[in-house]
Amino acid sequence: MRYISTRGGGTPQSFTQILLGGLAPDGGLYVPATMPALTTAEIERLRPLNYRELAFAVLSIFIDDIPAHDLKSIVDRAYTSSVFRSTAIAPLKTFTQGLNLLQLSNGPTLAFKDMAMQFLGHLFEYVLAKEGRSLNILGATSGDTGSSAEYAMRGKKGIHVFMLSPHERMSAFQRAQMFSLQDANIHNIAIRGVFDDCQDVVKVVSSDASFKAQYRIGAVNSINWARIAAQVVYYFKGYFAATSKAGEEVSFAVPSGNFGNIYAGYVARRMGLPIGRLMLATNENDVLDEFFRTGHYRVRKGAEIHATSSPSMDISKASNFERFVFEIVGRGGAVVAELWQRLEETGSFDLSASQYWVEVKSAGIISGRSTHAERLGTIRRIARDFNVIIDPHTADGVKIGTEAREVGETVICLETALPVKFAATIKEALGAEPVRPAGYENIESLPQRFEVMDPDVDAVKAFIAQHAR
Ligand SMILES: *Cc1c(COP(=O)(O)O)cnc(C)c1O
């Protein structure tokens, strides 16, 4: 399997060649040179597999330049019942006939990003050791991604993590999760400012090519293809858990931000998995809902970005969306390049009047949005009817999943975080905070390790220079 850029430039690369870099040199995102397709018989052969076996089978399609025995061992180390707190790894819970929850949030940081990031940690360590290299991962986080990356990379050889977060702006639980890590290769930098200040520092440091090369700076952002590939696996897992025979269809409801999670579902559908519809859910930041309803993709700026009670979906633009548009325009790199050029210049593009709109409409994706009040209502309803407490992001997905579901349709809602991470909103909805899973009872009282800094590029560079390996 070779990988090409969504903007059509460069030469095809192997999986390990694109693993540690970010964007393609022409500014595009890497995608498989051809979308793999499985026959019904090939899909059904995967049905009896357990999670690790399934992950190996699916990932082998995308990763063909790591020896099979090594890839198997990486997968086996990533998906253990102790890390994911269940032998199923991603168990399916049935609310009622036709309405299910795929539980993806039992990893160390209690959010679905662990499903891909744990694999990435072992994969990075393996590839770096093989190439005799080291990597310093630099990132900015407002919560979920940063902690998931730190728990995946902690203690890994050849890797240091420098994670910037806004000082005193994350929840006490999120802070404790990140700052209580005592591993010598994890460096938390609390920036006096907001998330955008952190992001700006990361951008400036990463755009200094000589600093980047000297200190081997890398990223683990959501455009990394390995993360997408690892997410395809649980669509297969959920599908098999909810069906009993070949060809039966299932739909998925997906709380969406950067379009990574639902894009993995789109890839699974293109591979031949019988997915009826992909139901995309947004919160008040509805750039994606607007696109799928109207064809108009309009990036939000500054004051237009709402701080919501499903904060991990508070995005202004959806980075992985470019991969979807690449397919919609018939894999035309030049068309994508032109659309993103227009986006850069005007902040939007409109496909509704183009020949591509019919392709969007037949891609199997529908969308909906949820407000704060609707989110609370969904949390209350699911607690009342099924005695399950869901987190605010999952609630956004469950809202569209229940509303859009047709008679006889099987819907799997993806659980993207556990409610304990967003206890204040749960308290607002239900009058009481959710019970904490075992091992997380007192994390706020653990000793914390972090560095407080101004949003000062030189200070951050000096810190990296001092601690990088
Ligand atoms: C990251 C995240 C999302 C959004 O997922 P994307 O892949 O960016 O669309 C939704 N919910 C939670 C809890 C998240 O952490």
Side-chain angles (χ1 to χ4, degrees):
M1 175 74 70
R2 296 266 137 180
Y3 291 86
I4 56 172
S5 165
T6 50
R7 303 217 183 150
T11 51
Q13 307 278 308
S14 75
F15 175 80
T16 56
Q17 281 174 317
I18 64 156
L19 176 63
L20 301 174
L23 294 172
D26 63 358
L29 279 66
Y30 283 111
V31 287
T34 49
M35 216 32 122
L38 305 181
T39 64
T40 302
E42 283 167 338
I43 289 171
E44 285 303 309
R45 272 205 289 278
L46 305 175
R47 184 179 285 280
L49 305 186
N50 68 29
Y51 200 92
R52 278 182 292 278
E53 293 164 340
L54 184 61
F56 175 67
V58 171
L59 289 165
S60 298
I61 299 171
F62 295 106
I63 307 173
D64 60 4
D65 60 343
I66 292 177
H69 176 269
D70 292 353
L71 183 62
K72 180 94 186 87
S73 143
I74 294 166
V75 165
D76 286 349
R77 276 177 283 143
Y79 297 108
T80 66
S81 54
S82 60
V83 169
F84 286 93
R85 297 184 296 137
S86 86
T87 47
I89 308 297
L92 188 80
K93 184 190 227 30
T94 298
F95 285 141
T96 182
Q97 164 120 47
L99 186 64
N100 308 274
L101 184 73
L102 187 61
Q103 300 178 295
L104 302 175
S105 307
N106 291 313
T109 73
L110 311 182
F112 86 102
K113 293 196 170 68
D114 293 335
M115 295 297 301
M117 207 74 91
Q118 284 291 319
F119 171 66
L120 219 63
H122 291 281
L123 186 62
F124 273 29
E125 184 177 49
Y126 168 87
V127 171
L128 289 168
K130 197 149 199 192
E131 296 177 0
R133 292 207 285 149
S134 61
L135 186 71
N136 293 294
I137 293 168
L138 174 64
T141 190
S142 53
D144 284 344
T145 311
S147 62
S148 183
E150 290 188 354
Y151 278 78
M153 305 297 165
R154 63 186 295 199
K156 296 286 188 298
K157 289 187 205 68
I159 303 175
H160 276 252
V161 177
F162 298 86
M163 194 58 68
L164 279 57
S165 60
H167 186 41
E168 292 182 340
R169 283 182 193 258
M170 292 190 296
S171 72
F173 186 88
Q174 284 177 317
R175 260 201 309 264
Q177 259 193 328
M178 289 178 59
F179 297 175
S180 66
L181 288 177
Q182 300 297 332
D183 307 78
N185 72 328
I186 303 296
H187 310 278
N188 283 301
I189 303 175
I191 294 287
R192 293 188 193 93
V194 295
F195 171 69
D196 284 335
D197 298 315
C198 303
Q199 183 96 332
D200 287 346
V201 171
V202 168
K203 275 190 197 145
V204 175
V205 174
S206 308
S207 64
D208 179 342
S210 71
F211 184 85
K212 203 176 163 191
Q214 183 179 358
Y215 293 105
R216 300 166 308 282
I217 304 291
V220 283
N221 43 29
S222 72
I223 57 148
N224 187 296
W225 179 263
R227 282 179 65 179
I228 302 289
Q231 291 179 326
V232 171
V233 176
Y234 57 69
Y235 282 88
F236 279 79
K237 170 70 210 290
Y239 173 78
F240 291 131
T243 58
S244 51
K245 57 180 189 299
E248 231 179 296
E249 279 196 355
V250 162
S251 295
F252 286 87
V254 189
S256 294
N258 273 323
F259 205 79
N261 198 357
I262 195 161
Y263 174 73
Y266 174 77
V267 172
R269 191 173 188 267
R270 289 284 304 266
M271 289 170 76
L273 194 67
I275 294 177
R277 301 191 290 171
L278 291 162
M279 302 167 170
L280 180 149
T282 73
N283 60 22
E284 293 89 335
N285 296 294
D286 56 357
V287 44
L288 288 167
D289 179 41
E290 183 174 78
F291 173 78
F292 283 99
R293 279 184 300 102
T294 69
H296 195 192
Y297 184 66
R298 187 174 59 83
V299 168
R300 308 299 198 255
K301 318 192 233 336
E304 268 190 302
I305 306 165
H306 305 274
T308 75
S309 48
S310 45
S312 298
M313 294 155 65
D314 291 351
I315 50 109
S316 56
K317 56 175 187 284
S319 36
N320 279 292
F321 182 61
E322 182 170 339
R323 289 186 159 121
F324 174 72
V325 172
F326 179 70
E327 302 299 330
I328 289 307
V329 302
R331 310 202 115 214
V335 180
V336 173
E338 195 199 308
L339 288 172
W340 257 260
Q341 174 82 29
R342 198 180 310 164
L343 202 57
E344 185 92 355
E345 286 162 9
T346 68
S348 73
F349 61 73
D350 187 356
L351 295 187
S352 65
S354 75
Q355 80 234 59
Y356 306 122
W357 186 232
V358 51
E359 298 299 328
V360 175
K361 283 294 172 191
S362 60
I365 300 180
I366 62 155
S367 74
R369 80 196 280 275
S370 185
T371 62
H372 178 68
E374 290 167 326
R375 196 166 300 131
L376 297 185
T378 306
I379 293 169
R380 278 189 209 110
R381 190 165 50 78
I382 297 298
R384 183 196 64 205
D385 294 350
F386 308 117
N387 203 23
V388 175
I389 302 179
I390 54 173
D391 105 290
H393 306 78
T394 306
D396 290 344
V398 168
K399 173 182 178 271
I400 175 168
T402 47
E403 272 178 12
R405 184 175 166 264
E406 290 167 353
V407 176
E409 188 176 21
T410 297
V411 174
I412 298 177
C413 302
L414 298 189
E415 174 206 66
T416 56
L418 289 195
V420 62
K421 296 197 84 172
F422 304 95
T425 301
I426 301 303
K427 184 149 191 215
E428 194 183 341
L430 302 175
E433 293 199 352
V435 177
R436 290 197 175 186
Y440 292 82
E441 294 88 348
N442 303 310
I443 65 165
E444 289 96 333
S445 58
L446 296 174
Q448 298 191 357
R449 196 174 140 261
F450 61 102
E451 203 75 26
V452 183
M453 281 186 207
D454 287 325
D456 173 345
V457 170
D458 291 329
V460 170
K461 277 184 174 171
F463 183 84
I464 294 172
Q466 190 190 339
H467 294 93
R469 290 291 172 274

